[in-house]
Amino acid sequence: WAVRRVTFAITTLKPQFIRLPTDRECAETAQRLLEKFHLPGFAFGVDGTIVKFEEEPRVIPPDTVPQDFWSRKMTYAINVQVVGDDEGRILDVVADWQGANNDARIWNASGVKRVINRQRRFLLAGDSGYPISETCITPYLVRDAAADPTKRLFNKRHSGLRTVCTENLF
């Protein structure tokens, strides 16, 4: 019940406090991230996190069953997606997906994906759970990076950037 109240409160306040940055703000973020991680064009990070329930949900939306909330972490949960920046700002949050859904599915259905894909100027760092695109950049596969020092360096920098933009928010 507490998770539901908190989620409702956050999503109710979303329009007042959570917004995507302006082009100027994105450019400033991209410059800071370039200086710190030596990766050009990145202004955002995206990631999902599992918010666990103590027990099976008692109230569920129509057209769902409790098993829809059973996550890969072997617990009932919701999967929350956050887009963030290097200054600890949450730029977008999606908190209405059951735990059985993966990051790629949530990303593909999100409104923020369409907005970021339309602008095409700034990049978004996602982990390997996200589909690569013109704007969403993910790390190289471990086997590819193991054989190529340039790819390994990219992955190290990309991981640091993701940590600053999303992991630290969680």
Side-chain angles (χ1 to χ4, degrees):
W1 186 239
V3 170
R4 185 176 179 188
R5 287 195 322 256
V6 169
T7 301
F8 179 77
I10 290 171
T11 56
T12 301
L13 297 172
K14 181 179 174 179
Q16 290 175 282
F17 298 101
I18 300 175
R19 65 169 180 81
L20 288 174
T22 64
D23 279 351
R24 189 179 120 260
E25 291 167 328
C26 284
E28 291 168 357
T29 300
Q31 183 59 40
R32 286 191 307 272
L33 292 171
L34 174 64
E35 290 169 7
K36 187 167 187 170
F37 298 104
H38 309 288
L39 295 174
F42 284 92
F44 319 97
V46 63
D47 203 3
T49 190
I50 297 292
V51 178
K52 298 177 184 179
F53 298 155
E54 291 293 318
E55 58 191 39
E56 180 178 316
R58 291 183 293 265
V59 179
I60 59 173
D63 300 323
T64 62
V65 295
Q67 285 308 110
D68 291 340
F69 292 87
W70 192 250
S71 75
R72 70 182 188 286
K73 304 281 185 174
M74 306 305 288
T75 183
Y76 291 102
I78 59 173
N79 194 341
V80 178
Q81 174 182 277
V82 171
V83 174
D85 71 7
D86 66 317
E87 295 190 322
R89 287 185 293 239
I90 296 174
L91 307 174
D92 188 73
V93 62
V94 178
D96 56 356
W97 285 81
Q98 301 90 0
N101 292 286
N102 63 40
D103 292 345
R105 182 173 185 188
I106 297 167
W107 173 248
N108 283 328
S110 70
V112 71
K113 174 191 175 201
R114 290 185 292 281
V115 172
I116 290 174
N117 282 349
R118 274 195 306 264
Q119 57 85 34
R120 297 198 192 285
R121 180 173 171 204
F122 299 103
L123 302 173
L124 174 100
D127 65 21
S128 59
Y130 289 87
I132 193 167
S133 70
E134 289 181 35
T135 54
C136 183
I137 307 302
T138 63
Y140 288 101
L141 297 173
V142 173
R143 72 170 187 269
D144 294 340
D148 185 333
T150 305
K151 291 178 181 177
R152 235 181 356 264
L153 178 61
F154 173 84
N155 280 3
K156 181 178 178 181
R157 291 174 175 174
H158 188 268
S159 175
L161 190 147
R162 283 193 340 265
T163 297
V164 166
C165 289
T166 58
E167 300 295 336
N168 291 350
L169 292 174
F170 297 132

